[in-house]
Amino acid sequence: MRERSFLTILIGVSILVGCIGTSSEKNMTEVEEYPGVYLTNDMSTLPISTSGYDIYLIGEYHGQEEVHLLFIEYLKILHEKIGLRDVILEANQHAEEEANAYILGESEEFPEDLWNRPDRFDVLEKIRDVNEELPDREKIRVHLVDVDFPIPQLYTHIVELAEEIGAEGIEIPSLEEFEKWDESMMMELVEKLEKLTEKESTLNELKTVRASIQWYFERYTFSIREEVIARNIQYVLKELNNAPVLALYGAWHACKVTSNLMSDDTWAQRLIEEGISIYSVAATGISGQQWYDSPPGVYEINELDRWMWLDEIPLDESTTLEDIFDREPYEILYLDLHINTSLKVPWQAGEVCPAPVNTPLSDVYDGIILFREVHPSRDGKSSP
């Protein structure tokens, strides 16, 4: 078995019904003057929910090792407590089959279509480690629900679906020719494929292909992508007979309320409006480094502070969440927004948070987890 971080294996975890841990744990303390604010050095003691929801969602700031370890710890506890086996990741749908072959140990090859996202490799590798300890009937499976991008991945998805359908009578262009097509030509090809199958799963994938084409030509419109993700997650839940899932997505997508003029409804809000229950926790470090994909590389957290606002949430007129770290010797802070419901989205959030200033934070997330310091996933490598 490959070498693991010591944080991946947490010993002596005490688990109570409905949460990972409680404030009575010896490694956790509650900040008395601020209800719902907890501090710990052991992520297994965080009092986040483990029952009662369709989707458990970690909203991440991408490429942070500690957030990935949190996700895996949450996965192991949800698996033990409620039998959760299914994970949703922010990655293009086309790579799902290869991703599952990798985490199930059926292949040693990392999914080729995810080489541009080494942070996804980091998560898949950790899920594979979890699966090595589980019997076959309990192994974790992944579902990739995002648009296909860039164009070569979209093209490959079309080619594979055409082969699956048996579309011998339809001429599939070369990739070089396909890249020169306009939107209407690509859509016409998809329509021909749709007419040749009645298989629900294939038709669902073709819907993703169709939306991916539209998303590409409309220059990455938020609403198209969020609609695709929401629809694909609904399909996953249907296929699982509404068994619960754990998702890892960008913190923006994990917002449960949006009404900012620059934003469209996130997939989380869309699903909540459809009656699907979501427990959403945002997680990030406030210092250290992270891997980020635009452009790919390792960045200091403060280099991307245009995206940061969680650490600046004011607990009162003189104290922010970040200030708590300055006075307490703990590495992890958790804000339970089911307990502290009086906090609002601060003005510092700007365009980063889809919800407008002064929106109750408890409407946006169920909780917020901050790490004092984080490290980049994959240690900055551009490929596994």
Side-chain angles (χ1 to χ4, degrees), residues 80-366:
E80 180 179 341
K81 284 187 59 64
I82 61 175
L84 186 145
R85 292 183 55 202
D86 294 272
V87 164
I88 289 171
L89 297 180
E90 182 175 353
N92 56 298
Q93 187 185 62
H94 168 240
E96 181 174 304
E97 184 176 348
E98 288 181 279
N100 275 296
Y102 181 77
I103 66 165
L104 293 171
E106 298 169 356
S107 170
E108 298 300 318
E109 298 294 325
F110 179 69
E112 184 176 348
D113 285 343
L114 295 181
W115 278 94
N116 64 329
R117 288 297 301 269
D119 57 329
R120 297 303 92 178
F121 176 84
D122 187 60
V123 176
L124 291 174
E125 185 177 54
K126 288 175 169 58
I127 296 174
R128 178 174 167 130
D129 285 344
V130 173
N131 275 339
E132 288 180 354
E133 304 296 330
L134 296 175
D136 289 346
R137 67 181 182 278
E138 296 182 17
K139 290 187 185 298
I140 308 302
R141 302 161 295 196
V142 298
H143 306 271
L144 308 183
V145 296
D146 222 314
V147 292
D148 292 316
F149 183 80
I151 285 293
Q153 295 183 8
L154 172 62
Y155 172 79
T156 303
H157 200 177
I158 291 174
V159 170
E160 292 183 354
L161 287 172
E163 292 175 354
E164 176 187 321
I165 293 169
E168 291 84 1
I170 296 178
E171 183 177 353
I172 306 296
S174 66
L175 172 59
E176 184 178 8
E177 182 181 355
F178 182 78
E179 289 178 322
K180 297 176 182 178
W181 280 13
D182 60 22
E183 182 177 0
S184 63
M185 296 171 72
M186 292 184 186
M187 289 295 195
E188 183 179 351
L189 175 58
V190 175
E191 184 177 351
K192 290 178 180 178
L193 294 174
E194 289 172 333
K195 291 178 178 178
L196 294 179
T197 183
E198 296 181 354
K199 186 177 178 181
E200 187 176 6
S201 61
T202 304
L203 288 171
N204 185 68
E205 289 187 56
L206 285 168
K207 287 181 181 178
T208 298
V209 168
R210 180 182 288 276
S212 300
I213 294 169
Q214 184 183 7
W215 187 67
Y216 174 75
F217 281 98
E218 294 190 17
R219 293 298 182 262
Y220 322 132
T221 304
F222 284 118
S223 60
I224 295 173
R225 185 180 174 202
E226 298 306 301
E227 181 180 354
V228 168
I229 298 166
R231 185 186 66 241
N232 283 333
I233 292 177
Q234 284 182 297
Y235 182 81
V236 168
L237 293 176
K238 177 184 174 183
E239 290 294 293
L240 297 176
N241 293 317
N242 294 315
V245 299
L246 172 63
L248 179 67
Y249 246 87
W252 186 92
H253 304 276
C255 291
K256 301 198 298 180
V257 168
T258 58
S259 55
N260 194 320
L261 293 178
M262 58 76 66
S263 301
D264 296 286
D265 291 352
T266 63
W267 65 257
Q269 181 175 356
R270 292 167 188 259
L271 292 181
I272 289 171
E273 291 171 354
E274 293 292 327
I276 295 170
S277 59
I278 298 178
Y279 179 80
S280 178
V281 176
T284 185
I286 65 169
S287 69
Q289 294 182 318
Q290 68 182 107
W291 183 91
Y292 194 66
D293 64 343
S294 184
V298 173
Y299 297 84
E300 298 292 329
I301 291 293
N302 58 14
E303 287 185 71
L304 298 175
D305 60 6
R306 67 186 185 277
W307 299 112
M308 284 292 294
W309 62 278
L310 300 177
D311 57 331
E312 297 179 333
I313 292 171
L315 294 169
D316 57 30
E317 292 183 358
S318 61
T319 305
T320 66
L321 288 181
E322 183 176 12
D323 292 334
I324 299 296
F325 282 110
D326 293 336
R327 72 185 207 189
E328 300 286 352
Y330 291 90
E331 299 302 312
I332 305 170
L333 180 151
Y334 174 62
L335 171 61
D336 189 335
L337 291 168
H338 287 188
I339 295 175
N340 195 327
T341 59
S342 63
L343 300 179
K344 310 287 186 181
V345 173
W347 66 266
Q348 295 97 326
E351 293 184 343
V352 179
C353 178
V357 172
N358 290 326
T359 299
L361 275 171
S362 56
D363 289 348
V364 181
Y365 296 116
D366 295 283

Side-chain angles (χ1 to χ4, degrees), residues 22-43:
T22 72
S23 58
S24 64
E25 294 283 343
K26 64 180 182 179
N27 292 326
M28 169 168 258
T29 184
E30 184 173 5
V31 182
E32 292 183 2
E33 64 266 45
Y34 300 117
V37 177
Y38 300 90
L39 296 165
T40 184
N41 291 324
D42 183 350
M43 64 182 71

